[in-house]
Amino acid sequence: VVSKVGCVSQAHAAYLDWLLNADGQPASRQIKGREIAVISIGFNTIELLVLKDNQAVAKFTVGEKLGVRRFLELVNESRRGLFSLGELDIKLRSGAIDEPAALSKWSAQVRGHIERQWGDAAQRFDSVIAVGGGALLLHSELTDLFGDRLIDSDEPVLSVARGLYKFGLMNAGNRHGTQAGICSHR
C-alpha cells in the first residue's frame, strides 16, 4: 500500500545520501547553523541547492540545462556532428573521449553558472557536496573552486538513488509519515 508520494530534487536526494546512514537514520553530522551546498551535475542538468538546518535556502536553489549533455555537444562540434549523443555517452562512459578543449569550455560554462548563481556567497558555505557524472568529470575544477570544503562522495553517480533509498527507509520507520526534521523544497 502506497500511503504517500512526494518529490525530492536530485540535489536534495544527494544531500540525504550524505546526511543519512545506510539504515535511513541521521548520521552523526554537525549541521546546526551550517550551510551545506549541493551541486548535482547529471546528464541533462546541473542543480544547485543550499540547505541550512535542513531547509532549502530559496535564493541559492536553481537548475539549468548545463549537464554532461552540453559537454558531449561540444565534443560533437569538434567531431563535425558525426555522432549521436547516445554514441558519445557510451564512448564517455568507456573512457574513450579525451577532449581537453571541450572539457575546458564546458568547465568554464559550469563555473560561470555557479558563480552567477551563488556569487561571493559561496565562500560562506561550510561544505559543498558534488555528485553526478559531471562531478566526476569536473572534480579538479570543483576542487579549485571550493577547496577543502568539497565533499567527495564515494560513488557520486549513485548518490541520488542512494539518497532516495535512504529517504524511503527513514519514512518507512516513521508511522506518521513526517520527515523527522528533513524537509524537501517545493
Side-chain angles (χ1 to χ4, degrees):
V1 172
V2 176
S3 62
K4 184 178 177 183
V5 176
C7 295
V8 174
S9 74
Q10 289 185 16
H12 201 111
Y15 171 75
L16 292 171
D17 181 40
W18 172 80
L19 184 66
L20 302 174
N21 67 22
D23 297 322
Q25 300 300 312
S28 58
R29 303 219 188 268
Q30 294 293 335
I31 60 169
K32 182 144 181 73
R34 296 180 69 211
E35 289 181 310
I36 310 297
V38 183
I39 301 172
S40 174
I41 309 172
F43 187 79
N44 287 309
T45 62
I46 176 173
E47 292 182 35
L48 306 178
L49 170 68
V50 175
L51 296 112
K52 183 173 183 178
D53 297 327
N54 287 325
Q55 299 296 317
V57 180
K59 71 179 182 178
F60 296 128
T61 301
V62 67
E64 183 67 39
K65 291 183 180 178
L66 195 57
V68 176
R69 168 191 288 267
R70 179 67 189 130
F71 169 60
L72 294 178
E73 289 169 348
L74 294 168
V75 168
N76 212 16
E77 285 175 17
S78 72
R79 296 181 180 194
R80 299 175 296 141
L82 297 175
F83 297 90
S84 72
L85 289 177
E87 290 171 310
L88 290 174
D89 186 43
I90 290 168
K91 289 178 179 287
L92 178 64
R93 291 171 190 264
S94 70
I97 291 183
D98 183 23
E99 296 271 348
L103 186 62
S104 178
K105 187 172 183 178
W106 178 55
S107 173
Q109 292 172 354
V110 169
R111 184 180 190 126
H113 176 68
I114 293 168
E115 290 174 344
R116 278 189 306 281
Q117 299 305 319
W118 287 348
D120 290 338
Q123 296 173 21
R124 75 185 204 195
F125 303 152
D126 296 288
S127 299
V128 179
I129 302 164
V131 300
L136 285 174
L137 291 168
L138 298 177
H139 186 266
S140 63
E141 290 81 359
L142 293 170
T143 301
D144 284 347
L145 194 55
F146 298 108
D148 62 357
R149 294 176 298 140
L150 185 67
I151 295 173
D152 289 322
S153 171
D154 59 339
E155 294 184 67
V157 175
L158 296 177
S159 183
V160 170
R162 208 171 41 208
L164 291 172
Y165 175 75
K166 291 175 180 182
F167 186 59
L169 287 176
M170 181 186 69
N171 282 324
N174 185 339
R175 296 174 198 229
H176 302 290
T178 60
Q179 297 178 5
I182 299 171
C183 300
S184 63
H185 64 283
R186 292 180 171 87

